[in-house]
Amino acid sequence: MIKEIFTGNIPTKLMALVMAVALWLYAINRHTGDLTEVVGLTVSVPEGITVLEQNFEEITIHLRGPQNVIDTVEDMIKDRKILARYTVRESPNMIEDQVKQTISIRRENLDLPSAVKLVSVYPDKVDIVLGKLQKKRLKVSLQKKGEPAIGYAVANEFVFPGEVEVTGPLNALKEASFIHTVPIDIGGITGEQNRTFPWRIEIDQKVIIKRGDKTISVPVVCNEDVRVWLQIVEQQDTRLFEKMKIKIIGPAEYPYTIKLQDEFANVRIKGPKLLLDKLNAEDIVLYIDVTSLKPPGPYKQPVKSILPKNVELVDKLPEVHLDIRETIRSAEVK
């Protein structure tokens, strides 16, 4: 009887087994998910070493596991809670200047749930260049952006301290002589800001070096900041006024007739640009004072000027020939 239970109706039992396995595979496949995502790669190094170069900052991973776990992992990757991390064990004493290494990315470099299988990683090998760190004092270069308000200019700038201590790769600091501040915005600045200085400005955490035709930015660390003074002045300019009428100035009852050889002259003045832009020809007076002159002429007299406040002549005004004659009076009618 027992033998018949196990050996009887074999085809039917085989069919039932095949159907059970098929249902199990269907259930497994239905509740298993695949995920391909890009994650950041962080390389950690011991104190005294820095990463100079890294040919891949991100890697692509292909994962497989229960669908509910895969969904959770996908959200964690989007929130950057899952990253690839590699820790370098190299000692600074083993590096004279810099050294190149190839690191392998495996499952242990990814903080994945145990239920998730790592199917593939691309790239699975990443090249890095490690550099030894050193300290060096570099000159501070003020970095500005924007332009002062129209009519104003930066006349002088002063940074204190003029040098700061920087920690960075040995090979880069050997070539560096200065480091920038973070850019300060001088857009629209006027002379009013002269009273608000000094400004406290941070140091940019990188040095710029040239190697051949390339300009390279190398990360460094500087824990200092600086104070900055700027002298903002009104921008100076020149302006030419052409064919200005020369006036005659003399006593009210001046009894002589004056004739100028040249009645017009050009005048070039300098001063604050904002002021010059607003000036009109009527604001400038060119004249000759004939108070002390009497006939007979001719005379050669310098042209003088009356100018608005805060402007002055650029060029010396010319001398003008003039003739003074007795005024011819009409005969009295008898």
Side-chain angles (χ1 to χ4, degrees):
M1 182 71 177
I2 294 176
K3 183 178 180 181
E4 290 182 359
I5 293 174
F6 287 101
T7 60
N9 201 6
I10 296 296
T12 302
K13 291 178 179 178
L14 287 174
M15 180 62 69
L17 177 62
V18 169
M19 293 180 64
V21 171
L23 286 171
W24 178 76
L25 291 175
Y26 173 76
I28 291 295
N29 289 334
R30 185 174 182 181
H31 296 286
T32 298
D34 282 85
L35 177 66
T36 300
E37 285 286 352
V38 175
V39 298
L41 171 60
T42 301
V43 179
S44 301
V45 293
E47 187 176 354
I49 294 178
T50 187
V51 178
L52 296 177
E53 297 178 25
Q54 182 175 324
N55 64 340
F56 288 97
E57 302 287 341
E58 297 177 326
I59 60 172
T60 301
I61 56 175
H62 181 194
L63 308 175
R64 182 175 295 150
Q67 187 64 58
N68 62 328
V69 179
I70 288 293
D71 291 340
T72 300
V73 169
E74 184 177 13
D75 291 338
M76 294 176 69
I77 290 175
K78 290 179 179 178
D79 294 338
R80 298 187 62 81
K81 294 180 179 179
I82 292 181
L83 299 170
R85 296 181 175 88
Y86 186 93
T87 300
V88 174
R89 305 298 181 185
E90 195 85 22
S91 169
N93 297 329
M94 302 299 293
I95 302 177
E96 292 185 6
D97 187 352
Q98 62 183 44
V99 63
K100 184 175 181 179
Q101 288 188 356
T102 299
I103 61 176
S104 298
I105 307 302
R106 301 184 177 89
R107 180 187 175 87
E108 54 262 32
N109 302 119
L110 294 153
D111 189 17
L112 297 172
S114 58
V116 173
K117 178 182 178 181
L118 178 62
V119 179
S120 65
V121 177
Y122 180 80
D124 61 347
K125 295 184 184 300
V126 176
D127 292 331
I128 61 174
V129 177
L130 303 177
K132 190 171 185 177
L133 295 176
Q134 75 162 8
K135 295 182 184 294
K136 184 179 179 180
R137 295 196 68 80
L138 298 178
K139 292 182 180 179
V140 178
S141 174
L142 181 62
Q143 192 172 198
K144 303 184 290 291
K145 65 178 181 179
E147 296 293 335
I150 295 175
Y152 290 89
V154 178
N156 291 294
E157 58 187 50
F158 179 70
V159 178
F160 180 82
E163 291 185 352
V164 291
E165 185 176 77
V166 175
T167 301
L170 174 65
N171 68 326
L173 290 189
K174 284 192 296 188
E175 303 177 42
S177 59
F178 69 91
I179 187 169
H180 287 300
T181 64
V182 298
I184 63 171
D185 189 359
I186 62 169
I189 199 169
T190 68
E192 293 296 318
Q193 272 72 37
N194 286 330
R195 296 195 297 268
T196 68
F197 294 116
W199 289 350
R200 189 172 290 276
I201 307 297
E202 296 179 353
I203 298 295
D204 202 3
Q205 301 296 297
K206 63 178 180 291
V207 293
I208 308 298
I209 59 176
K210 284 193 174 182
R211 290 181 178 168
D213 297 334
K214 294 183 178 179
T215 299
I216 302 174
S217 173
V218 180
V220 297
V221 175
C222 178
N223 296 320
E224 301 181 49
D225 56 23
V226 296
R227 284 169 290 174
V228 172
W229 289 262
L230 298 177
Q231 183 185 7
I232 310 300
V233 298
E234 288 188 273
Q235 190 175 8
Q236 301 296 299
D237 202 356
T238 63
R239 185 176 173 187
L240 176 65
F241 290 84
E242 297 182 295
K243 295 184 178 180
M244 298 286 292
K245 178 74 172 178
I246 301 173
K247 297 183 179 182
I248 303 296
I249 296 179
E253 299 295 331
Y254 193 68
Y256 309 114
T257 300
I258 306 296
K259 183 177 181 181
L260 298 179
Q261 183 176 349
D262 296 305
E263 297 182 357
F264 300 91
N266 297 336
V267 58
R268 186 184 300 275
I269 60 175
K270 64 180 179 181
K273 186 178 186 307
L274 292 176
L275 178 57
L276 293 183
D277 290 343
K278 297 177 182 178
L279 288 185
N280 297 313
E282 293 77 14
D283 299 319
I284 300 170
V285 177
L286 300 185
Y287 70 94
I288 294 177
D289 188 352
V290 298
T291 302
S292 61
L293 302 182
K294 297 179 180 180
Y299 288 93
K300 188 177 182 181
Q301 291 293 108
V303 177
K304 298 180 180 180
S305 63
I306 300 175
L307 302 176
K309 187 179 180 180
N310 296 326
V311 301
E312 59 185 69
L313 294 172
V314 175
D315 306 311
K316 185 179 179 180
L317 291 173
E319 292 183 336
V320 175
H321 291 273
L322 56 88
D323 191 26
I324 300 180
R325 298 179 183 178
E326 297 279 355
T327 301
I328 301 176
R329 300 177 180 274
S330 301
E332 293 183 1
V333 179
K334 293 184 180 181

